Amino acid sequence: DMSRGQATANCVHAMVAASDTTFCLLFWTIFNLSQTPGAWERCRATDWEISSSFLHDELVQIGTLKAQATAGKIVDTSSLTYLGRALMETARVYPPVWTLPRVLD
C-alpha cells in the first residue's frame, strides 16, 4: 500500500518529468527551425490554429509513429503537418531523455 504522501510525491514527479521532456522537445524544435532558412516561415504559413487540442493530437500521433518506428515498422509521416514532422525529427535527433541531467542517490 502506498501512503498519501508517497502517492502525491509520485504524481508530482510524473508531472515534472513530463514537463521536462516536453520542454526539451519544444526547445530543440524551435532552435532547429530557427537555424534552417525558410523552416520557421513554412510552419507559420501552415493553415492551422495553434491550440492545446491541435498540439495534443499532433503529439499523440507522433508518439504512435515513434512507437511503430521503434518496433522496426516503416512509418509514413505524410499525415503529419510540417510542424509535426519537425517535432518528430527533433525527437529522433535529440531524444529528450538523454538531454536531461540525472543524479543517482
Side-chain angles (χ1 to χ4, degrees):
D1 288 328
M2 192 182 306
S3 73
R4 185 178 183 96
Q6 289 171 323
T8 302
N10 284 341
C11 289
V12 169
H13 179 70
M15 287 188 295
V16 169
S19 64
D20 282 352
T21 55
T22 302
F23 170 78
C24 286
L25 176 62
L26 293 176
F27 171 83
W28 284 113
T29 301
I30 292 169
F31 174 79
N32 287 331
L33 289 172
S34 71
Q35 300 299 306
T36 307
W40 189 258
E41 290 77 18
R42 187 169 174 187
C43 278
R44 291 186 58 198
T46 304
D47 187 23
W48 52 267
E49 178 181 311
I50 295 179
S51 67
S52 59
S53 63
F54 167 80
L55 289 174
H56 175 267
D57 293 347
E58 195 82 352
L59 290 173
V60 166
Q61 190 174 6
I62 289 169
T64 302
L65 293 173
K66 192 165 169 65
Q68 291 173 355
T70 303
K73 297 180 181 175
I74 295 175
V75 177
D76 179 16
T77 60
S78 63
S79 62
L80 294 174
T81 63
Y82 185 79
L83 176 59
R85 290 191 301 272
L87 287 165
M88 190 158 180
E89 180 64 7
T90 300
R92 184 188 70 79
V93 176
Y94 301 103
V97 174
W98 299 109
T99 60
L100 298 173
R102 299 287 188 232
V103 178
L104 295 176
D105 291 332

